[in-house]
Amino acid sequence: MSTKRRPVSAKRTAAIAAAAELLAGRRFARRLYGTIAILALLAGGLTAADLSKLPHPNSTSALARSATPAAFALYSLQRETAKDSTGLKKPDTIVGTSLSGSDQGTVVVSAHRIQEYAALTSALAVVTLNDDNTSSLEIVPLTGGPPTLVPLPSLGTVGNLHAAGSNHLIGFTFTASSTTGQYWNTLFVYDINDPSAGPQAVQGIHGPVSAADWRFVPGAATLVARTDDGSTFLIDPLDSGKVSPLGTHAGILGFPGTNELAVSDPGLKVGIDPPRYSIINLSNGALAPLTLAGGAPPDNTKSGTTADGQPLVLDSSGQYAQVVRKYDAGKETSDITLTDKNGTRVLYQPAAEWSRLLDVCVSPARDYLAVETAAPQYVGDQYPVRPEPSPMRTDLVNLKSGTVLKSVPGFLPSWCG
């Protein structure tokens, strides 16, 4: 009998290589989580009984398999407090929608409890809650298929999730569950196109950044971060040497123009003078006063029955939108005003059954506002991070006319991420 082997075909060689690559990837994931678990055990952060609580995928894609990512103009998160016929809580969903038509959107992702998400060109980054209220972070492809688990540093809580869509980057803050205090609102970035690198801690001047607030610069991989003491920085998270101080500020208001950052600060006499607003040129760090349209900034102390929200600066001319809440005999009414060179006018008033305005942001093309609304009488969803009223919906409002283009279920519109 001949022992000579038949030559291996090219297809079989490719299949063997693909299988080896897949196996190596699975072994890498197991090794990575095994290493995290061992390190946590050595640090006293986990016991052997806790190993079963390591983050795991919770999300399910509702999209059919496709070679081309599904395209939606907007996403929103719909949380559920109701129970199904078996007594179990209905799953939360992320819905994708177009700007035309009257449809209520398409369910893209579902999970038992979704905390937040961020939209990329080819995927959604989704933070889900495990049974012990720790976080899982998953990348759900918009081509359908199972989610990929992002390896977190340890058991803990993810927050402040944002995406730089065109650069395949997501960023988030992470706080460890253990008492070691190794991570507290520590800012991380993760490249979904290079999963083997894992999340990378963003380095500031004195080491990893602990961010009270942060966001990506539109159209770039750089980010702006503000720490608990108000110190604000422009950082290239992919190059630890590129950190530019931007001063100390009370709040980040957004990006009204190309390479411009709007910030807020208290008045010179705190509690007496109105807030101050400024524009920072991110190219050179230059700070210039931002004069809001109308000549005077909003004053949150002007009346005990009226509260003005933080202005949403729409452009470098000082045009801004603002949520104004009024209280009368225990009842709250809200509207959105628009202030420009022609003065202030009411742009939008919600329907009576959705009369609580919670948040507002502007579309990437700066032609629509996404307005989060809730019923005047609502039930809180009791989530441990980012608790919200339930139910909620988002109105898409034309910035010129104030007409509502469309209403979609849920909150946290992707324009705000």
Side-chain angles (χ1 to χ4, degrees):
M1 173 183 283
S2 171
T3 58
K4 185 177 181 181
R5 295 185 178 179
R6 291 180 296 174
V8 179
S9 69
K11 288 184 177 180
R12 181 172 175 80
T13 300
I16 292 172
E21 184 178 358
L22 178 62
L23 181 60
R26 289 175 175 170
R27 284 173 176 165
F28 169 80
R30 287 198 296 269
R31 287 199 304 269
L32 184 58
Y33 273 106
T35 301
I36 291 172
I38 291 170
L39 291 175
L41 278 169
L42 292 174
L46 292 174
T47 65
D50 290 326
L51 295 183
S52 61
K53 299 179 181 179
L54 284 173
H56 54 276
N58 298 305
S59 299
T60 301
S61 173
L63 296 174
R65 290 271 194 172
S66 171
T68 304
F72 297 101
L74 182 76
Y75 299 91
S76 60
L77 168 58
Q78 185 173 22
R79 288 183 181 163
E80 291 284 354
T81 56
K83 297 182 179 180
D84 62 20
S85 58
T86 65
L88 297 176
K89 174 188 171 302
K90 291 183 178 180
D92 298 339
T93 54
I94 298 172
V95 176
T97 186
S98 66
L99 297 185
S100 61
S102 58
D103 63 284
Q104 291 293 288
T106 300
V107 174
V108 178
V109 178
S110 65
H112 180 62
R113 289 190 300 168
I114 300 176
Q115 176 183 300
E116 56 192 289
Y117 74 99
L120 295 136
T121 303
S122 60
L124 296 181
V126 183
V127 179
T128 60
L129 293 171
N130 302 314
D131 291 340
D132 60 355
N133 287 336
T134 59
S135 299
S136 283
L137 175 57
E138 304 158 55
I139 306 300
V140 183
L142 289 173
T143 52
T148 300
L149 192 66
V150 176
L152 299 174
S154 67
L155 291 177
T157 302
V158 171
N160 297 316
L161 177 69
H162 300 292
S166 60
N167 293 282
H168 315 292
L169 284 177
I170 62 170
F172 56 92
T173 56
F174 181 77
T175 298
S177 296
S178 68
T179 57
T180 62
Q182 183 179 6
Y183 300 106
W184 174 258
N185 277 344
T186 304
L187 183 58
F188 285 84
V189 292
Y190 176 77
D191 186 343
I192 69 166
N193 283 357
D194 187 16
S196 63
Q200 304 295 310
V202 174
Q203 300 298 313
I205 293 176
H206 302 295
V209 174
S210 179
D213 189 14
W214 80 277
R215 59 202 71 183
F216 283 110
V217 177
T222 52
L223 59 86
V224 171
R226 188 177 68 85
T227 61
D228 285 329
D229 66 359
S231 298
T232 307
F233 302 91
L234 175 67
I235 302 173
D236 183 343
L238 305 180
D239 186 339
S240 59
K242 292 187 177 180
V243 181
S244 301
L246 299 176
T248 301
H249 303 287
I252 297 173
L253 299 184
F255 302 91
T258 303
N259 222 29
E260 291 180 331
L261 172 70
V263 295
S264 66
D265 289 296
L268 297 177
K269 296 180 181 179
V270 179
I272 299 176
D273 291 339
R276 294 171 294 140
Y277 301 94
S278 305
I279 290 284
I280 300 175
N281 185 323
L282 296 178
S283 297
N284 55 25
L287 180 75
L290 169 63
T291 301
L292 294 181
D299 184 358
N300 289 327
T301 63
K302 67 182 180 183
S303 170
T305 60
T306 302
D308 295 321
Q310 191 73 269
L312 174 62
V313 182
L314 299 173
D315 56 43
S316 55
S317 73
Q319 179 183 213
Y320 66 92
Q322 188 175 33
V323 176
V324 178
R325 298 180 178 89
K326 298 179 181 180
Y327 307 93
D328 183 21
K331 294 183 179 180
E332 176 186 332
T333 58
S334 308
D335 55 42
I336 293 178
T337 60
L338 181 69
T339 303
D340 56 22
K341 63 182 180 180
N342 297 317
T344 299
R345 72 181 191 274
V346 174
L347 177 72
Y348 162 85
Q349 287 182 314
E353 62 270 26
W354 296 96
S355 61
R356 292 181 66 92
L357 299 188
L358 300 177
D359 203 0
V360 58
C361 69
V362 65
S363 67
R366 312 192 83 77
D367 50 357
Y368 292 99
L369 295 179
V371 183
E372 295 177 352
T373 67
Q377 303 297 326
Y378 63 85
V379 176
D381 57 28
Q382 307 300 314
Y383 278 46
V385 181
R386 295 192 76 133
E388 298 288 351
S390 182
M392 292 179 66
R393 82 173 187 185
T394 298
D395 287 347
L396 307 183
V397 181
N398 187 301
L399 253 176
K400 291 184 178 179
S401 66
T403 57
V404 177
L405 173 70
K406 194 172 189 177
S407 297
V408 296
F411 71 106
L412 200 63
S414 51
W415 292 345
C416 303

